Amino acid sequence: MITAIVNFIYGIAFFFVPDFLVKISGSDPVFHGWLRWSGGLEIAFAVGALLVALKPINQGIFVTTMALGSLLIGIALLWAWLTMEAGNVWFTALPAILALVISALLWWSRQQAKEILYPKSE
């Protein structure tokens, strides 16, 4: 549910107000229209995570994909944070930490719910 909420919030922001996000980031201007597609993807991931939370049986592949995606997002944002030359640090640091925490929670919960996510066929 946490990943559904976080993805939904970022998705709505990137889909509907990407220009606002660019402005508050404090970085160089970028054409905000290029950011809208990521909002649509985030919203789709939020819906997928919500559907998995409602019916988790046989959903291990999706949970693994979300855990890996969160890990890669966290690494990418951490890399950007450490090499930042401009912009507001909090705008990169907060989502980097959030993505890494979500990834850790997803990997942990995937392991804890293995019997539900990957049930054995009889």
Side-chain angles (χ1 to χ4, degrees):
M1 289 305 292
I2 293 171
T3 196
I5 293 166
V6 170
N7 282 326
F8 185 73
I9 291 169
Y10 275 102
I12 292 295
F14 276 110
F15 195 77
F16 291 107
V17 289
D19 52 334
F20 174 72
L21 293 177
V22 170
K23 287 177 188 168
I24 66 169
S25 74
S27 61
D28 294 330
V30 64
F31 175 59
H32 60 269
W34 287 106
L35 300 174
R36 283 193 203 284
W37 71 268
S38 61
L41 189 59
E42 289 282 348
I43 293 168
F45 284 155
V47 170
L50 180 61
L51 293 173
V52 168
L54 294 174
K55 190 175 179 188
I57 297 171
N58 288 321
Q59 299 299 324
I61 292 172
F62 186 83
V63 174
T64 301
T65 302
M66 292 300 292
L68 180 60
S70 296
L71 177 63
L72 294 173
I73 289 168
I75 290 170
L77 289 170
L78 181 63
W79 184 354
W81 177 15
L82 296 175
T83 61
M84 249 173 111
E85 296 177 13
N88 295 321
V89 172
W90 69 268
F91 196 80
T92 304
L94 178 64
I97 293 166
L98 194 58
L100 292 171
V101 167
I102 287 172
S103 178
L105 287 172
L106 284 169
W107 287 114
W108 175 77
S109 63
R110 179 184 172 272
Q111 188 63 33
Q112 297 298 311
K114 216 168 206 165
E115 297 81 29
I116 296 169
L117 297 173
Y118 297 100
K120 291 186 179 14
S121 300
E122 295 187 35

